[in-house]
Amino acid sequence: MRVMMDQAKKRRACPISRKPGAGRQAFRRVVLLFLLIAGLIISQTGCGKKQEPVSQDGFYLDTVCTITLYAMEDWSEEKAETILTEAFASCAEYEALLSKTREGSDVWKVNHADGAPVPCDPRTVELIEKGIHYGELSEGRFDITIGAVTDLWDFHGVGTPQVPDETVLAEALSHVDYRGIQIEGNEVTLADPAAQLDLGGIAKGYIADRLTEQLADAGVTGAVIDLGGNITVLGYKDGKETEIRVGIRKPFGSSLSDLIGTTSLHDASCVTSGTYERHFEKDGVFYHHILDARTGYPVPTDMDGVTVIGPADASADCDALATTVLLLGSDEAEALFANPEFAGFSYVIVQLDTPHESSSGYSLLKGGAGNWDLNGLK
């Protein structure tokens, strides 16, 4: 997804008219009037100077993260920079809690506890509980204990990609079961000591939700949070009524500007999951990173990309839903979104006519009960 920038409006010149004067006093009055009007024009022009957005980038959660501020109470560039610095400090803090690979994180401790209870930060527990909820909704297709399986696949292009050995994969798969997660207070226990938590399918959305709260509390009234394509739009571009345009990428598109269209959003989350994001080919077979918790292999799917749009404080749900739809298949998407829990959500499914081809035509399936304008996606 891309955030689209609207062109600035042109300023209109303010005409000045002079009245002919008769005599020196009249001439002085005209000169004074002219100077007064000129001063007003200069003052108004200065006040109308366009307020430029302030943006910062950082690398967290194994992806490039960008936060852009457009409007806030008592705007100043110095204040905006401070808010952004604090936001990225929060990104680092959440990564230190939720990363699977970072030694000392809550998730790392749980995975290396050999089945012993691990005291965790309340935010970690909250996210694990949400992951369990989506395990229940998907009947185990979305499973946050899939970490032992994801460890066997390399979709990051490091070295030569290999398909895991069947026997090794079967052993890892035997330890995948979200129902073995036990939570008592702030202590998390894996009933199967060989199970491994992996919150990658939901963590970015959760962090976006917390950042949205943080920015709103700081007085921000217009912002875009982009965590590697997980987009949250807070408020409006001008802080009042101008929505922010978000572009939805075409799966396997030839460039970032190859879009299926745009939608204008305010106070919304927009998350896309697709087989085109991380993948490789081996012996003529296409492998993507959306793994089926029942088989350990990439899920066979009739979809190339799924975008879910929901409320600004529900990016974690959009994140989990986008992946869940890919896992369940397009035929089950409508039933999933009929759940009253998702009354404020919409989805767009992209199906290429020729799989994996950048030049391919495509068809769209739109659904959900969210009140979002999807007319620009076609």
Side-chain angles (χ1 to χ4, degrees), residues 51 92 94 115 123 146 184 186 200 233 271 340 342 344 367:
Q51 178 178 290
Y94 283 113
R123 294 165 293 182
I146 200 170
E184 185 172 347
N186 285 336
V233 176
V271 178
F342 307 126

Side-chain angles (χ1 to χ4, degrees), residues 275-290:
T275 60
Y276 63 93
E277 294 173 308
R278 295 195 297 275
H279 58 85
F280 66 84
E281 286 194 26
K282 184 72 174 179
D283 298 327
V285 179
F286 179 86
Y287 297 92
H288 60 79
H289 74 294
I290 308 296

Side-chain angles (χ1 to χ4, degrees), residues 358-376:
S358 62
S359 60
S360 171
Y362 59 86
S363 58
L364 300 181
L365 297 176
K366 303 176 185 178
N371 188 28
W372 310 105
D373 182 8
L374 305 180
N375 292 328

Side-chain angles (χ1 to χ4, degrees), residues 75-354:
W75 175 277
S76 74
E77 187 170 335
E78 181 179 359
K79 181 180 177 181
E81 294 286 357
T82 298
I83 290 173
L84 289 173
T85 298
E86 292 172 349
F88 278 109
S90 295
C91 285
E93 181 180 358
Y94 283 113
E95 184 173 46
L97 289 174
L98 306 175
S99 170
K100 177 178 179 293
T101 58
R102 183 164 178 171
E103 186 172 349
S105 75
D106 280 354
V107 172
W108 188 92
K109 290 176 183 176
V110 171
N111 287 345
H112 291 79
D114 294 325
V118 176
C120 293
D121 187 281
R123 294 165 293 182
T124 304
V125 175
E126 181 182 25
L127 180 55
I128 291 173
E129 289 176 334
K130 186 171 281 289
I132 293 172
H133 177 59
Y134 276 95
E136 294 169 345
L137 281 174
S138 66
E139 298 181 347
R141 304 291 291 278
F142 183 97
D143 196 315
I144 59 174
T145 63
I146 200 170
V149 173
T150 58
D151 280 348
L152 301 178
W153 292 89
D154 177 18
F155 292 101
H156 295 279
V158 179
T160 303
Q162 298 292 332
V163 178
D165 177 80
E166 288 187 11
T167 302
V168 175
L169 185 58
E171 165 61 20
L173 195 63
S174 68
H175 303 293
V176 177
D177 190 346
Y178 71 93
R179 294 169 296 183
I181 304 172
Q182 301 170 355
I183 298 176
E184 185 172 347
N186 285 336
E187 288 190 336
V188 179
T189 305
L190 294 178
D192 181 351
Q196 296 277 298
L197 289 177
D198 186 343
L199 303 178
I202 195 171
K204 286 193 296 183
Y206 177 81
I207 295 169
D209 289 337
R210 304 289 76 77
L211 292 176
T212 300
E213 291 177 354
Q214 183 175 335
L215 295 184
D217 289 343
V220 176
T221 55
V224 172
I225 300 167
D226 180 352
L227 305 184
N230 283 41
I231 303 291
T232 296
V233 176
L234 170 63
Y236 295 87
K237 192 171 184 180
D238 58 359
K240 299 177 182 178
E241 60 182 6
T242 304
E243 294 189 317
I244 294 174
R245 288 194 300 152
V246 175
I248 310 299
R249 282 187 62 190
K250 177 184 174 183
F252 301 97
S254 56
S255 68
L256 292 177
S257 61
D258 195 355
L259 307 175
I260 65 170
T262 65
T263 180
S264 294
L265 300 174
H266 73 277
D267 292 323
S269 296
C270 185
V271 178
T272 296
S273 184
T275 60
Y276 63 93
E277 294 173 308
R278 295 195 297 275
H279 58 85
F280 66 84
E281 286 194 26
K282 184 72 174 179
D283 298 327
V285 179
F286 179 86
Y287 297 92
H288 60 79
H289 74 294
I290 308 296
L291 301 179
D292 190 334
R294 301 173 305 175
T295 67
Y297 287 96
V299 62
T301 178
D302 59 342
M303 297 166 285
D304 296 280
V306 177
T307 295
V308 175
I309 303 175
D313 61 353
S315 185
D317 294 289
C318 291
D319 204 358
L321 282 169
T323 302
T324 299
V325 170
L326 273 170
L327 290 166
L328 294 177
S330 59
D331 290 341
E332 297 187 46
E334 185 174 353
L336 177 65
F337 280 81
N339 186 327
E341 180 181 348
F342 307 126
F345 296 76
S346 296
Y347 64 87
V348 179
I349 294 172
V350 185
Q351 298 170 309
L352 295 181
D353 298 338
T354 305

